[in-house]
Amino acid sequence: MHDFCFTIPYGMLLIGGGFIGYMKKGSITSFAGGAATGLLLILAGFLSLKAFEKKKNSTIALLLQTVISAALTLVMGQRYLLTQKVMPAGLVAGISALMTCFYVYKIATGGNKIQSKSE
């Protein structure tokens, strides 16, 4: 699987979660955090997609995706440990941990596999 196939929906999920947090609790911090990390991830996914279309890998995009998801894992994991609330801290920490593992795997295996044309 290519990283952008998961990164763009992951970014959209974060934006949606931040918006829901704002609508339910009026939390501007939740909205800003979700929007900022979500937009950065969507940008990184888009860069990775464009590089893939050119039959290349985008190391910068993959590193950005990894750093953001690892940071979210740490921040939201700490918040979950303090509050013991699954929503949203536990859920975001869990998804972000899975995404971090996926990105580390992609880095270890050399990024997106570019298939050569077979005739």
Side-chain angles (χ1 to χ4, degrees):
M1 239 5 214
H2 306 299
D3 62 282
F4 52 84
C5 294
F6 291 113
T7 301
I8 294 170
Y10 175 43
M12 291 168 43
L13 179 74
L14 292 172
I15 292 170
F19 181 72
I20 290 169
Y22 175 73
M23 295 303 288
K24 287 184 99 173
K25 302 280 186 181
S27 173
I28 293 173
T29 305
S30 177
F31 181 67
T37 55
L39 287 172
L40 283 172
L41 283 165
I42 290 171
L43 174 65
F46 181 75
L47 291 173
S48 180
L49 174 62
K50 290 301 167 189
F52 181 77
E53 288 173 352
K54 295 177 183 176
K55 304 214 182 296
K56 295 181 180 182
N57 276 311
S58 178
T59 305
I60 293 171
L62 193 52
L63 289 175
L64 180 62
Q65 294 162 358
T66 307
V67 168
I68 292 170
S69 63
L72 279 171
T73 301
L74 292 173
V75 170
M76 296 307 271
Q78 288 175 340
R79 185 169 293 162
Y80 171 73
L81 292 175
L82 290 174
T83 64
Q84 295 297 308
K85 292 183 179 178
V86 175
M87 285 297 290
L91 181 67
V92 174
I95 292 170
S96 296
L98 290 172
M99 292 303 293
T100 301
C101 291
F102 173 70
Y103 295 137
V104 168
Y105 167 77
K106 294 306 280 185
I107 290 170
T109 59
N112 294 322
K113 299 296 178 205
I114 310 298
Q115 304 241 337
S116 60
K117 269 191 174 177
S118 299
E119 295 191 45

